[in-house]
Amino acid sequence: MEPTASKEPGPVRERRACLTEAYTCLRRGSCPSQRAHDVASAIFVGVCGGVSSGDRESCPPENHSDPTVELSCISMSLLEKISSALMSGSLPPAATLYHAEVLTGLQDMDLMLQLSTVCPVWQQKCVQAFYSSTPSPALDNCLWSITDVFKRLLQGGHQENIAKLLAAFDSSLMAICSKFLPEERSEVLLCLDDVRRSRRWGTTLCLLLELLELLTASSVIYAADVCLQSQRITYTHSSALLTIIGGSSHYFVKKRALLLLKRAVLQKSGEDWALGEGLYFGPKNKHLLADMSTLAKSMLTAVATNWLQRVQVESSSFFGGTRHVRGKEGKADCVMLRALGLLLLKSLELYIQTPSGAAGVNSAFEVCGYLQSVWGFLRQGSLLRTEVTHCCCWLSLLFGEQDDDMMEAAKALFSIFLHHRLCSGLDDCSMLKAACVFGCNPHCHFLLLLQSISFDHSILLDFLISTETCFLEYFVRYLKYLRADWQGFTAACGKTSLLDHHLSLQQSPTALCGGDVLKVTNRDQDPYRSNTCFQHTGAISSAGMISMAAGFHLVEYDSSDESDTEEMEVSQGAPVASVSEKSRFSALDMKLQKLSDLTGILIEPNTTPHRRAEGPQVPVFLSEQTSCPNMAPVSGHVTCDTLARVVLCMSHLREVVKRLHTKKLFPYNPSSLLRLLEQL
């Protein structure tokens, strides 16, 4: 070997010597004489095949080996050995710090990005590892490296390189998924047994799930350019993923699989990695509709076979880790619960758009049966440490801490309600009562949303402007329905009352979800046996508690005129009404008077709403058939008070949107939205 090396060009000989010494020191657990940066540079040049044509031509003819290939092999082997040694923790402290610095230097050089186009050695090694599919440090390293390459390519918008990389790994990725995510349920259970016996399997499976999310994201981002089988694995192998979630695998594995399916059904794969803005508005993948239907069918089939009963939910994480939820010991993992609920709701929304679920009374009651399954799962074992008798409250209880999930769930429930209304053949009154029993009354959901934000129109404006939620789509669809069913909305307002915190807790209050929710409930009534749709239940999410300081905003939209002067009053005691608030109260007096004229109920001026500083407000659904001790009966002015709050909130929202649109400060054309608001 020495005679050959002595005839090599100087740069090649120096890199070979550097890599050889680094490899020898790594085996001994010591540090090379070169700086970590020099070793990283030698590995980088070797991996990328950085041998100039002059150096290659200067090699003597008797040296038949290509220095590019040799240096690439040595560099890749050394890189794998360093990664494996650091992961196993087998090096002494000094050597660990040195080699960690080497990897940091390679990361700064964007080595992983170079692998996608210039290193056939790396591609061949990964393909071989994927076909063997044997859990090992080598397979984990390959999964990690290809995931990092894909992530950097997606973040950088390297469309051509992504297509080449997908084509190179498509068949090998299908092979490894057939091993870890087989189609037959019995084979999946065998895989789960291996995961339970070995921590290595769990780590490998999590790395694979992370790669699958990137593959799914690439199918959405570049749908019109490339669509290979490996990009559809999340959908086509969704049944195996659901089996993993309901199986006895490690909790972090099933949680990772559940979040993968949730993001896939929402078409938001890769959102945690900031892959760019506006990625999901291009042309759709030609297989997307069929793939989404496959995912929805897999989910509903699993629920029909008692899959929910096999899903394990632990308590929310804390500094000491996590633990199983038993009885009322602790707060359940709300991330897991939200993902479960949203995955089922979106699956139902997709199902009712298929021919088998689009029409028929049987279809309507089948969908309602699925809703009862998810509400029953949440009620089972007191996962949220509460009893909810009015199922519409689950929307705010479950999704109140996450705005984007709550809007997606509200939109899905609204679609389910419209489908049930079309197929059930019930009259409007009976339909609304049934909708409350099944937890899909859109009027209840909208009222709960307004109550959670204290009827603050500026928060609705934030939702309308933000691109992080689907509130605009949900809001427009609901306003169109509200026009046609104002009577049903008025009836819902008539059953709703806002009470102060100390008044509403006289019924032996129970703190829920670590203080996030407060509720008053009548435990003696069964919601599925009762025909009435409003029970003694109130709930407010943490979002509502945060929004109680509704008068304090970074931007005051009511003062958007350039010539307006801003005033701020600070008080140690009770809040003092500003000029703007006084004008609101005057406007509300006019609304109340108008409502009084329409309903024939005398409304006293002192019932004007005001900002409450004593504590959070709890929305309470009241029943005509029952009465709550220590609680005053529903009066006319309370009925109109709730309705007036809604009308005033919508009126202020319309005025602010119109003003911003006139000044060309609104991000899109709100003309259609303004017309809907004006018709209320």
Side-chain angles (χ1 to χ4, degrees):
M1 193 69 176
E2 284 299 327
T4 301
S6 63
K7 298 178 182 179
E8 290 179 340
V12 177
R13 186 167 57 252
E14 292 174 1
R15 294 180 195 125
R16 182 189 294 274
C18 178
L19 295 174
T20 301
E21 182 186 0
Y23 185 82
T24 302
C25 292
L26 177 64
R27 295 186 63 182
R28 295 175 179 174
S30 60
C31 300
S33 59
Q34 297 94 345
R35 296 181 306 164
H37 178 75
D38 295 336
V39 175
S41 298
I43 294 175
F44 180 84
V45 174
V47 169
C48 297
V51 178
S52 65
S53 58
D55 291 341
R56 186 178 290 106
E57 292 174 358
S58 65
C59 291
E62 62 270 17
N63 185 9
H64 297 286
S65 61
D66 188 343
T68 303
V69 176
E70 288 187 4
L71 285 179
S72 294
C73 292
I74 295 174
S75 300
M76 288 297 299
S77 298
L78 179 58
L79 181 59
E80 179 186 355
K81 293 294 184 181
I82 292 175
S83 301
S84 300
L86 291 177
M87 290 181 64
S88 63
S90 59
L91 295 175
T96 298
L97 292 176
Y98 179 89
H99 290 94
E101 187 177 352
V102 172
L103 291 186
T104 302
L106 290 171
Q107 185 176 3
D108 294 338
M109 298 175 190
D110 280 338
L111 172 66
M112 306 310 298
L113 188 59
Q114 303 296 326
L115 294 177
S116 61
T117 55
V118 298
C119 188
V121 177
W122 167 74
Q123 294 183 9
Q124 182 180 5
K125 191 171 186 62
C126 289
V127 168
Q128 291 175 351
F130 293 160
Y131 274 118
S132 67
S133 301
T134 302
S136 63
L139 178 58
D140 292 348
N141 291 337
C142 289
L143 286 171
W144 171 80
S145 63
I146 191 176
T147 299
D148 195 74
V149 168
F150 267 119
K151 189 183 303 182
R152 291 173 182 269
L153 290 175
L154 287 171
Q155 290 172 335
H158 301 278
Q159 186 171 346
E160 182 179 354
N161 291 342
I162 290 175
K164 292 180 180 179
L165 199 62
L166 286 172
F169 286 101
D170 186 61
S171 59
S172 60
L173 288 173
M174 293 301 299
I176 189 174
C177 286
S178 298
K179 172 70 174 180
F180 285 89
L181 302 173
E183 295 182 2
E184 295 295 331
R185 185 173 183 273
S186 58
E187 297 180 7
V188 179
L189 294 177
L190 290 176
C191 179
L192 291 179
D193 289 338
D194 294 332
V195 172
R196 186 174 60 253
R197 288 194 299 266
S198 171
R199 188 77 176 184
R200 171 67 61 188
W201 276 78
T203 302
T204 304
L205 191 53
C206 273
L207 290 171
L208 178 60
L209 294 176
E210 186 175 0
L211 176 58
L212 289 184
E213 182 167 357
L214 284 168
L215 292 171
T216 307
S218 68
S219 69
V220 178
I221 298 172
Y222 300 116
D225 301 296
V226 58
C227 182
L228 301 175
Q229 285 186 324
S230 58
Q231 295 175 284
R232 304 171 56 197
I233 292 175
T234 300
Y235 301 103
T236 57
H237 289 69
S238 55
S239 179
L241 290 170
L242 290 170
T243 303
I244 289 176
I245 296 170
S248 57
S249 60
H250 300 293
Y251 187 71
F252 68 91
V253 173
K254 62 175 58 187
K255 186 173 182 177
R256 186 67 184 83
L258 182 59
L259 292 177
L260 170 64
L261 290 177
K262 170 197 167 184
R263 290 165 185 159
V265 79
L266 294 176
Q267 299 183 47
K268 292 183 178 180
S269 298
E271 63 176 355
D272 288 348
W273 297 308
L275 298 181
E277 296 182 359
L279 296 177
Y280 307 102
F281 299 99
K284 298 296 184 181
N285 183 331
K286 63 180 180 179
H287 300 291
L288 181 61
L289 183 59
D291 289 343
M292 296 287 280
S293 298
T294 299
L295 174 55
K297 181 179 179 181
S298 299
M299 180 63 185
L300 298 181
T301 301
V303 173
T305 56
N306 294 325
W307 172 80
L308 286 173
Q309 309 305 319
R310 299 190 294 271
V311 175
Q312 168 192 339
V313 179
E314 294 185 352
S315 62
S316 56
S317 59
F318 61 102
F319 289 111
T322 59
R323 60 181 179 179
H324 297 291
V325 177
R326 297 178 180 177
K328 299 185 178 181
E329 286 183 357
K331 177 183 176 182
D333 187 349
C334 290
V335 175
M336 191 83 166
L337 293 178
R338 280 197 299 268
L340 280 169
L342 194 53
L343 180 57
L344 179 54
L345 293 178
K346 295 299 292 185
S347 297
L348 286 174
E349 185 181 21
L350 291 169
Y351 171 70
I352 61 179
Q353 298 172 10
T354 62
S356 59
V361 177
N362 293 334
S363 171
F365 285 100
E366 181 183 6
V367 171
C368 292
Y370 285 116
L371 287 178
Q372 285 185 329
S373 297
V374 69
W375 307 145
F377 168 75
L378 294 173
R379 192 179 291 108
Q380 169 191 329
S382 300
L383 292 178
L384 288 177
R385 298 177 60 193
T386 181
E387 294 183 18
V388 176
T389 56
H390 183 194
C391 289
C392 292
C393 292
W394 280 118
L395 178 68
S396 58
L397 280 172
L398 189 57
F399 301 103
E401 296 180 356
Q402 199 72 26
D403 291 339
D404 53 347
D405 286 353
M406 181 170 65
M407 299 310 169
E408 289 285 357
K411 184 166 71 75
L413 285 168
F414 184 62
S415 298
I416 294 171
F417 168 80
L418 293 179
H419 169 265
H420 188 70
R421 179 170 172 260
L422 178 65
C423 300
S424 64
L426 299 175
D427 58 77
D428 291 342
C429 181
S430 300
M431 180 61 224
L432 291 177
K433 292 181 178 180
C436 279
V437 172
F438 298 119
C440 60
N441 189 331
H443 297 316
C444 295
H445 295 159
F446 188 65
L447 282 173
L448 287 170
L449 172 62
L450 292 182
Q451 290 178 0
S452 69
I453 63 173
S454 300
F455 295 88
D456 188 351
H457 69 280
S458 64
I459 297 180
L460 295 181
L461 180 62
D462 290 337
F463 285 150
L464 287 174
I465 294 176
S466 173
T467 59
E468 297 179 356
T469 72
C470 62
F471 177 75
L472 175 61
E473 180 184 357
Y474 160 74
F475 191 47
V476 170
R477 291 182 62 192
Y478 176 71
L479 289 179
K480 290 180 179 179
Y481 174 72
L482 182 58
R483 272 186 322 182
D485 191 30
W486 183 257
Q487 183 178 0
F489 179 74
T490 305
C493 290
K495 303 295 183 181
T496 308
S497 173
L498 281 174
L499 301 179
D500 288 331
H501 174 62
H502 65 281
L503 291 178
S504 61
L505 297 184
Q506 292 179 358
Q507 271 300 110
S508 300
T510 303
L512 309 175
C513 288
D516 290 344
V517 179
L518 298 171
K519 179 182 79 70
V520 178
T521 180
N522 181 0
R523 299 171 178 262
D524 298 331
Q525 233 173 341
D526 187 347
Y528 299 111
R529 295 181 179 180
S530 174
N531 192 33
T532 182
C533 56
F534 299 101
Q535 307 292 339
H536 295 299
T537 303
I540 184 168
S541 66
S542 61
M545 294 186 177
I546 295 173
S547 66
M548 296 315 299
F552 303 96
H553 306 286
L554 295 177
V555 179
E556 183 58 57
Y557 296 105
D558 290 334
S559 303
S560 59
D561 294 335
E562 291 89 341
S563 59
D564 290 349
T565 58
E566 295 185 2
E567 297 181 1
M568 182 175 67
E569 299 181 8
V570 180
S571 174
Q572 297 288 342
V576 180
S578 64
V579 175
S580 175
E581 287 177 322
K582 291 178 180 178
S583 64
R584 292 187 193 182
F585 298 160
S586 299
L588 182 58
D589 286 337
M590 297 176 62
K591 297 286 184 181
L592 292 175
Q593 184 59 46
K594 182 177 180 180
L595 289 171
S596 178
D597 295 339
L598 291 174
T599 59
I601 301 174
L602 179 61
I603 305 172
E604 300 178 0
N606 59 6
T607 61
T608 303
H610 58 279
R611 298 191 185 277
R612 304 178 187 271
E614 294 85 355
Q617 299 165 336
V618 181
V620 179
F621 286 91
L622 302 172
S623 172
E624 288 181 344
Q625 300 177 0
T626 57
S627 61
C628 183
N630 302 324
M631 184 180 295
V634 180
S635 61
H637 74 81
V638 171
T639 299
C640 290
D641 177 71
T642 302
L643 183 58
R645 288 172 184 265
V646 176
V647 172
L648 185 59
C649 179
M650 296 296 102
S651 176
H652 283 163
L653 179 63
R654 182 182 69 247
E655 293 171 1
V656 173
V657 171
K658 184 183 296 184
R659 185 185 309 129
L660 292 175
H661 180 50
T662 302
K663 297 177 180 296
K664 298 183 180 180
L665 298 176
F666 209 72
Y668 53 86
N669 187 354
S671 301
S672 300
L673 176 63
L674 288 172
R675 284 195 296 270
L676 289 172
L677 290 172
E678 289 171 355
Q679 294 172 6
L680 295 182

